[in-house]
Protein backbone atom coordinates (compact mmCIF):
# COMPACT_ATOMS: atom_id res chain seq x y z
CA UNK A 1 0.00 0.00 0.00
CA UNK A 2 1.42 3.36 -1.04
CA UNK A 3 0.92 5.99 1.67
CA UNK A 4 1.94 9.38 2.96
CA UNK A 5 2.25 10.22 6.63
CA UNK A 6 1.24 13.83 7.26
CA UNK A 7 0.57 16.00 10.29
CA UNK A 8 -1.07 19.25 11.24
CA UNK A 9 0.13 20.59 14.61
CA UNK A 10 1.22 17.06 15.51
CA UNK A 11 -2.18 15.49 14.75
CA UNK A 12 -0.83 12.80 12.39
CA UNK A 13 -2.61 10.51 9.96
CA UNK A 14 -1.73 8.02 7.26
CA UNK A 15 -3.09 9.18 3.89
CA UNK A 16 -3.92 6.89 0.99
CA UNK A 17 -5.14 7.89 -2.47
CA UNK A 18 -7.89 5.33 -3.09
CA UNK A 19 -8.53 6.57 -6.60
CA UNK A 20 -5.41 4.60 -7.50
CA UNK A 21 -5.48 1.61 -5.14
CA UNK A 22 -8.02 -0.42 -3.18
CA UNK A 23 -8.20 -0.73 0.60
CA UNK A 24 -10.33 -3.85 1.21
CA UNK A 25 -10.84 -3.49 4.98
CA UNK A 26 -10.21 0.14 5.98
CA UNK A 27 -11.33 -0.35 9.60
CA UNK A 28 -8.69 -3.00 10.28
CA UNK A 29 -6.16 -1.28 8.04
CA UNK A 30 -6.59 1.86 10.18
CA UNK A 31 -5.84 -0.14 13.32
CA UNK A 32 -2.76 -1.70 11.73
CA UNK A 33 -1.15 1.42 10.26
CA UNK A 34 -1.91 3.51 13.36
CA UNK A 35 0.05 1.19 15.65
CA UNK A 36 3.22 3.07 16.63
CA UNK A 37 5.18 -0.13 17.26
CA UNK A 38 4.19 -2.55 14.48
CA UNK A 39 2.65 -0.20 11.92
CA UNK A 40 3.44 3.31 10.69
CA UNK A 41 2.19 5.20 13.72
CA UNK A 42 -0.64 7.72 13.55
CA UNK A 43 -3.88 8.98 15.03
CA UNK A 44 -5.76 7.20 12.25
CA UNK A 45 -6.21 6.62 8.53
CA UNK A 46 -7.55 9.09 5.96
CA UNK A 47 -8.55 7.96 2.49
CA UNK A 48 -8.66 10.46 -0.37
CA UNK A 49 -11.38 9.51 -2.84
CA UNK A 50 -13.24 10.97 -5.78
CA UNK A 51 -16.53 12.76 -5.17
CA UNK A 52 -19.66 13.45 -7.19
CA UNK A 53 -20.43 16.63 -5.23
CA UNK A 54 -17.00 18.14 -4.51
CA UNK A 55 -13.44 18.15 -5.84
CA UNK A 56 -12.43 15.33 -3.48
CA UNK A 57 -13.79 13.19 -0.67
CA UNK A 58 -12.16 12.61 2.73
CA UNK A 59 -12.92 9.27 4.42
CA UNK A 60 -11.58 9.24 7.96
CA UNK A 61 -10.95 6.41 10.43
CA UNK A 62 -9.73 6.76 14.02
CA UNK A 63 -6.91 4.58 15.29
CA UNK A 64 -9.41 2.14 16.82
CA UNK A 65 -11.00 1.62 13.40
CA UNK A 66 -14.13 3.66 14.11
CA UNK A 67 -15.34 6.09 11.44
CA UNK A 68 -14.92 9.80 12.10
CA UNK A 69 -17.14 12.47 10.60
CA UNK A 70 -14.57 15.22 10.30
CA UNK A 71 -11.01 16.19 11.25
CA UNK A 72 -9.84 19.79 10.93
CA UNK A 73 -6.13 19.00 10.97
CA UNK A 74 -6.71 16.04 8.71
CA UNK A 75 -8.59 17.98 6.06
CA UNK A 76 -5.82 20.58 5.85
CA UNK A 77 -3.41 17.79 5.00
CA UNK A 78 -5.84 16.49 2.38
CA UNK A 79 -5.59 19.89 0.72
CA UNK A 80 -1.79 19.72 0.77
CA UNK A 81 -1.74 16.13 -0.52
CA UNK A 82 -3.96 16.69 -3.55
CA UNK A 83 -2.10 19.85 -4.60
CA UNK A 84 1.44 18.60 -3.95
CA UNK A 85 0.67 15.31 -5.75
CA UNK A 86 -0.73 17.20 -8.76
CA UNK A 87 -4.27 15.87 -8.36
CA UNK A 88 -5.40 19.48 -8.76
CA UNK A 89 -3.86 22.79 -9.74
CA UNK A 90 -6.50 24.84 -7.91
CA UNK A 91 -5.67 26.69 -4.69
CA UNK A 92 -9.32 26.78 -3.61
CA UNK A 93 -10.91 23.34 -3.44
CA UNK A 94 -13.94 21.61 -1.93
CA UNK A 95 -13.81 18.38 0.06
CA UNK A 96 -16.77 16.13 0.85
CA UNK A 97 -16.92 14.80 4.43
CA UNK A 98 -19.54 13.15 6.63
CA UNK A 99 -19.93 16.61 8.19
CA UNK A 100 -20.70 18.24 4.82
CA UNK A 101 -18.67 19.88 2.07
CA UNK A 102 -15.77 22.03 3.27
CA UNK A 103 -13.98 24.75 1.30
CA UNK A 104 -10.20 24.98 1.60
CA UNK A 105 -7.93 27.89 0.64
CA UNK A 106 -4.36 26.72 0.05
CA UNK A 107 -1.32 28.92 0.71
CA UNK A 108 1.87 27.99 -1.15
CA UNK A 109 5.37 28.27 0.27
CA UNK A 110 8.52 29.34 -1.54
CA UNK A 111 9.02 25.74 -2.74
CA UNK A 112 5.69 25.83 -4.57
CA UNK A 113 4.13 23.33 -2.17
CA UNK A 114 1.27 23.94 0.23
CA UNK A 115 2.45 25.31 3.59
CA UNK A 116 -0.81 26.22 5.33
CA UNK A 117 -4.54 25.90 4.74
CA UNK A 118 -7.59 27.96 5.72
CA UNK A 119 -10.76 25.92 6.10
CA UNK A 120 -14.35 27.06 6.15
CA UNK A 121 -15.50 24.76 8.94
CA UNK A 122 -19.18 25.69 8.72
CA UNK A 123 -21.49 26.60 11.57
CA UNK A 124 -21.29 25.30 15.13
CA UNK A 125 -24.32 23.39 16.36
CA UNK A 126 -25.57 23.92 19.92
CA UNK A 127 -28.91 22.08 19.80
CA UNK A 128 -28.55 19.17 22.21
CA UNK A 129 -30.37 16.52 20.13
CA UNK A 130 -28.25 17.30 17.06
CA UNK A 131 -24.87 17.00 18.82
CA UNK A 132 -26.15 14.56 20.27
CA UNK A 133 -26.42 15.22 24.01
CA UNK A 134 -28.94 13.71 26.40
CA UNK A 135 -29.79 16.84 28.35
CA UNK A 136 -33.02 18.36 29.75
CA UNK A 137 -32.38 21.78 28.16
CA UNK A 138 -32.23 22.71 24.48
CA UNK A 139 -28.58 23.65 24.84
CA UNK A 140 -25.75 22.70 27.18
CA UNK A 141 -23.91 25.99 27.75
CA UNK A 142 -21.63 26.12 30.82
CA UNK A 143 -23.74 23.47 32.53
CA UNK A 144 -22.62 21.23 35.40
CA UNK A 145 -21.63 17.65 34.62
CA UNK A 146 -20.31 15.11 37.13
CA UNK A 147 -17.54 12.84 35.90
CA UNK A 148 -15.91 10.26 38.14
CA UNK A 149 -17.17 12.03 41.26
CA UNK A 150 -15.94 15.49 40.27
CA UNK A 151 -18.13 18.39 39.11
CA UNK A 152 -17.17 20.22 35.93
CA UNK A 153 -18.94 22.86 33.84
CA UNK A 154 -19.12 22.13 30.13
CA UNK A 155 -20.40 23.56 26.86
CA UNK A 156 -21.49 21.07 24.21
CA UNK A 157 -20.86 21.95 20.56
CA UNK A 158 -20.90 20.00 17.33
CA UNK A 159 -18.55 20.85 14.47
CA UNK A 160 -19.88 17.90 12.51
CA UNK A 161 -18.71 15.74 15.41
CA UNK A 162 -19.56 16.08 19.12
CA UNK A 163 -17.42 18.12 21.52
CA UNK A 164 -17.58 19.04 25.19
CA UNK A 165 -15.55 22.12 26.12
CA UNK A 166 -14.42 22.51 29.73
CA UNK A 167 -13.03 25.92 30.77
CA UNK A 168 -11.00 25.67 33.96
CA UNK A 169 -8.59 27.53 36.22
CA UNK A 170 -6.38 24.48 36.72
CA UNK A 171 -3.45 24.49 34.29
CA UNK A 172 -4.31 21.96 31.60
CA UNK A 173 -0.62 21.16 31.13
CA UNK A 174 -0.58 19.33 34.46
CA UNK A 175 -3.65 17.17 33.86
CA UNK A 176 -3.48 13.39 33.58
CA UNK A 177 -5.79 13.08 30.57
CA UNK A 178 -5.26 9.33 30.31
CA UNK A 179 -7.12 8.99 33.62
CA UNK A 180 -10.00 11.43 33.15
CA UNK A 181 -10.41 11.43 29.35
CA UNK A 182 -12.01 8.00 28.90
CA UNK A 183 -14.68 8.82 31.50
CA UNK A 184 -15.75 11.87 29.52
CA UNK A 185 -15.66 10.01 26.21
CA UNK A 186 -18.01 7.26 27.39
CA UNK A 187 -20.21 9.38 29.69
CA UNK A 188 -23.89 8.46 29.46
CA UNK A 189 -24.74 12.04 28.47
CA UNK A 190 -23.17 11.45 25.05
CA UNK A 191 -24.77 8.52 23.19
CA UNK A 192 -22.22 8.66 20.33
CA UNK A 193 -19.30 9.35 22.68
CA UNK A 194 -17.62 12.75 22.73
CA UNK A 195 -14.37 14.61 22.15
CA UNK A 196 -13.43 16.62 25.23
CA UNK A 197 -11.37 19.82 25.31
CA UNK A 198 -9.87 21.16 28.55
CA UNK A 199 -9.12 24.87 28.21
CA UNK A 200 -7.33 27.74 29.95
CA UNK A 201 -8.30 31.26 28.94
CA UNK A 202 -5.03 33.23 28.79
CA UNK A 203 -6.61 36.47 27.57
CA UNK A 204 -9.33 37.50 25.12
CA UNK A 205 -7.26 36.51 22.09
CA UNK A 206 -5.35 33.48 23.41
CA UNK A 207 -6.40 30.07 24.72
CA UNK A 208 -4.56 26.91 25.70
CA UNK A 209 -6.17 23.50 25.28
CA UNK A 210 -5.63 19.79 25.52
CA UNK A 211 -7.93 17.30 23.92
CA UNK A 212 -9.11 13.74 24.46
CA UNK A 213 -10.50 12.45 21.16
CA UNK A 214 -13.05 9.66 20.99
CA UNK A 215 -11.52 6.61 19.38
CA UNK A 216 -7.97 7.96 19.52
CA UNK A 217 -7.22 9.15 23.06
CA UNK A 218 -5.13 12.26 23.66
CA UNK A 219 -3.79 13.80 20.46
CA UNK A 220 -1.38 16.70 20.03
CA UNK A 221 -4.05 18.74 18.26
CA UNK A 222 -7.68 18.62 17.12
CA UNK A 223 -8.91 21.05 14.49
CA UNK A 224 -12.62 20.56 15.04
CA UNK A 225 -11.91 20.72 18.78
CA UNK A 226 -10.16 24.07 18.40
CA UNK A 227 -13.18 25.36 16.46
CA UNK A 228 -15.53 24.08 19.15
CA UNK A 229 -13.39 25.80 21.79
CA UNK A 230 -13.56 29.12 19.93
CA UNK A 231 -17.33 28.81 19.54
CA UNK A 232 -17.79 27.93 23.22
CA UNK A 233 -15.49 30.76 24.35
CA UNK A 234 -17.46 33.32 22.36
CA UNK A 235 -20.80 31.90 23.53
CA UNK A 236 -19.64 32.21 27.14
CA UNK A 237 -18.30 35.76 26.61
CA UNK A 238 -14.74 34.75 27.41
CA UNK A 239 -12.91 35.85 24.25
CA UNK A 240 -13.11 37.92 21.10
CA UNK A 241 -14.26 36.29 17.87
CA UNK A 242 -10.71 35.67 16.58
CA UNK A 243 -8.33 33.71 18.78
CA UNK A 244 -5.04 31.86 18.71
CA UNK A 245 -5.30 28.48 20.35
CA UNK A 246 -2.20 26.82 21.76
CA UNK A 247 -2.26 23.03 21.48
CA UNK A 248 0.45 20.58 22.42
CA UNK A 249 1.47 20.31 18.76
CA UNK A 250 1.31 23.94 17.72
CA UNK A 251 -0.95 26.95 17.27
CA UNK A 252 -4.18 27.25 15.28
CA UNK A 253 -5.90 30.51 14.39
CA UNK A 254 -9.69 30.28 14.62
CA UNK A 255 -12.23 32.98 13.76
CA UNK A 256 -15.94 32.84 14.58
CA UNK A 257 -17.86 35.14 12.24
CA UNK A 258 -21.06 35.65 14.20
CA UNK A 259 -22.74 37.52 11.32
CA UNK A 260 -22.57 34.46 9.05
CA UNK A 261 -22.37 31.92 11.91
CA UNK A 262 -19.28 30.50 10.22
CA UNK A 263 -16.00 29.33 11.75
CA UNK A 264 -12.70 29.58 9.87
CA UNK A 265 -9.59 27.68 10.91
CA UNK A 266 -6.05 28.35 9.64
CA UNK A 267 -3.04 26.19 10.34
CA UNK A 268 -0.04 24.31 8.93
CA UNK A 269 0.00 21.07 6.96
CA UNK A 270 3.19 19.01 6.73
CA UNK A 271 4.30 15.85 4.95
CA UNK A 272 6.44 13.75 7.29
CA UNK A 273 7.40 10.97 4.87
CA UNK A 274 6.03 8.74 2.13
CA UNK A 275 6.49 5.04 1.53
CA UNK A 276 5.01 1.60 0.91
CA UNK A 277 3.91 -0.88 3.52
CA UNK A 278 2.84 -4.50 3.19
CA UNK A 279 -0.54 -4.65 4.87
CA UNK A 280 -1.09 -8.11 6.38
CA UNK A 281 -4.07 -10.25 5.46
CA UNK A 282 -5.63 -8.27 8.03
CA UNK A 283 -5.08 -9.96 11.33
CA UNK A 284 -2.87 -8.98 14.22
CA UNK A 285 0.22 -7.12 12.95
CA UNK A 286 3.51 -8.88 13.61
CA UNK A 287 6.88 -7.31 14.41
CA UNK A 288 8.44 -8.49 11.12
CA UNK A 289 6.07 -6.58 8.82
CA UNK A 290 8.16 -5.17 6.01
CA UNK A 291 8.07 -1.37 6.01
CA UNK A 292 9.98 0.36 3.20
CA UNK A 293 10.35 4.13 3.54
CA UNK A 294 11.17 6.24 0.51
CA UNK A 295 13.02 9.50 1.02
CA UNK A 296 11.27 12.70 0.02
Amino acid sequence: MRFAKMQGCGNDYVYVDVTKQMIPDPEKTAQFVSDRHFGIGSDGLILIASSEVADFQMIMYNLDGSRGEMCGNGIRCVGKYVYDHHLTDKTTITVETLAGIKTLELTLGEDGLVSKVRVDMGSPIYDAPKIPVIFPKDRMINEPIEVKGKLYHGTAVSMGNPHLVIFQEEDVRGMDLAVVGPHFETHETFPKRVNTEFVNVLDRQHLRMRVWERGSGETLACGTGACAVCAAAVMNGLTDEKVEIELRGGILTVEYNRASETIYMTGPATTVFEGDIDVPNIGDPTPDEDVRIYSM
Side-chain angles (χ1 to χ4, degrees):
M1 183 181 77
R2 183 71 182 173
F3 71 90
K5 174 167 170 167
M6 308 179 75
Q7 58 90 6
C9 291
N11 195 191
D12 60 341
Y13 287 86
V14 172
Y15 292 77
V16 177
D17 178 0
V18 294
T19 67
K20 298 178 180 177
Q21 58 186 320
M22 181 180 293
I23 307 299
D25 194 336
E27 294 88 353
K28 290 184 178 179
T29 299
Q31 295 176 50
F32 169 67
V33 300
S34 299
D35 191 291
R36 298 187 185 274
H37 299 286
F38 301 133
I40 299 165
S42 67
D43 292 324
L45 172 69
I46 290 180
L47 309 180
I48 299 171
S50 57
S51 171
E52 295 182 356
V53 295
D55 293 316
F56 300 95
Q57 181 183 7
M58 179 179 84
I59 305 170
M60 174 199 168
Y61 294 89
N62 298 308
L63 64 78
D64 66 356
S66 61
R67 185 78 183 271
E69 297 96 337
M70 174 58 184
C71 174
N73 293 308
I75 201 170
R76 293 201 313 277
C77 290
V78 169
K80 178 175 175 63
Y81 185 101
V82 298
Y83 186 90
D84 290 0
H85 286 80
H86 309 294
L87 302 182
T88 184
D89 59 2
K90 299 192 297 184
T91 54
T92 298
I93 64 171
T94 55
V95 178
E96 176 188 358
T97 75
L98 286 181
I101 298 173
K102 307 300 179 185
T103 300
L104 283 60
E105 298 177 12
L106 314 180
T107 298
L108 307 184
E110 293 182 357
D111 57 2
L113 303 178
V114 173
S115 60
K116 67 178 180 179
V117 180
R118 184 175 191 256
V119 186
D120 178 344
M121 297 289 287
S123 301
I125 297 171
Y126 304 103
D127 295 342
K130 294 180 180 179
I131 293 175
V133 178
I134 300 173
F135 196 66
K137 299 180 182 179
D138 293 337
R139 295 181 172 189
M140 185 178 182
I141 307 293
N142 194 32
E143 295 285 354
I145 180 172
E146 184 176 334
V147 178
K148 203 181 178 185
K150 183 176 178 179
L151 190 65
Y152 299 83
H153 283 78
T155 297
V157 185
S158 172
M159 290 302 306
N161 53 356
H163 293 269
L164 179 68
V165 181
I166 307 290
F167 295 104
Q168 60 185 48
E169 294 294 329
E170 176 190 354
D171 193 333
V172 298
R173 294 173 295 186
M175 293 183 66
D176 190 347
L177 249 59
V179 172
V180 69
H183 296 281
F184 277 91
E185 178 181 353
T186 59
H187 196 279
E188 60 186 9
T189 301
F190 307 98
K192 292 188 176 181
R193 296 187 294 168
V194 74
N195 305 282
T196 310
E197 288 77 33
F198 302 88
V199 186
N200 297 140
V201 178
L202 305 181
D203 57 45
R204 291 196 64 82
Q205 291 85 34
H206 298 88
L207 301 168
R208 178 185 295 129
M209 67 170 261
R210 288 176 66 189
V211 58
W212 182 270
E213 293 196 53
R214 60 174 183 169
S216 294
E218 183 176 12
T219 58
L220 295 183
C222 177
T224 57
C227 293
V229 164
C230 177
V234 172
M235 284 292 291
N236 284 285
L238 300 175
T239 66
D240 297 339
E241 294 183 0
K242 185 175 182 179
V243 294
E244 287 191 348
I245 301 179
E246 174 191 323
L247 305 102
R248 290 186 65 196
I251 294 175
L252 291 174
T253 301
V254 185
E255 182 178 357
Y256 185 8
N257 187 321
R258 292 298 300 276
S260 63
E261 285 296 312
T262 303
I263 291 190
Y264 298 92
M265 174 195 60
T266 303
T270 304
T271 300
V272 183
F273 57 81
E274 298 189 13
D276 292 285
I277 185 169
D278 291 332
V279 179
N281 217 0
I282 295 272
D284 293 331
T286 57
D288 60 351
E289 291 300 335
D290 182 19
V291 182
R292 298 182 296 278
I293 304 302
Y294 289 77
S295 61
M296 294 292 293

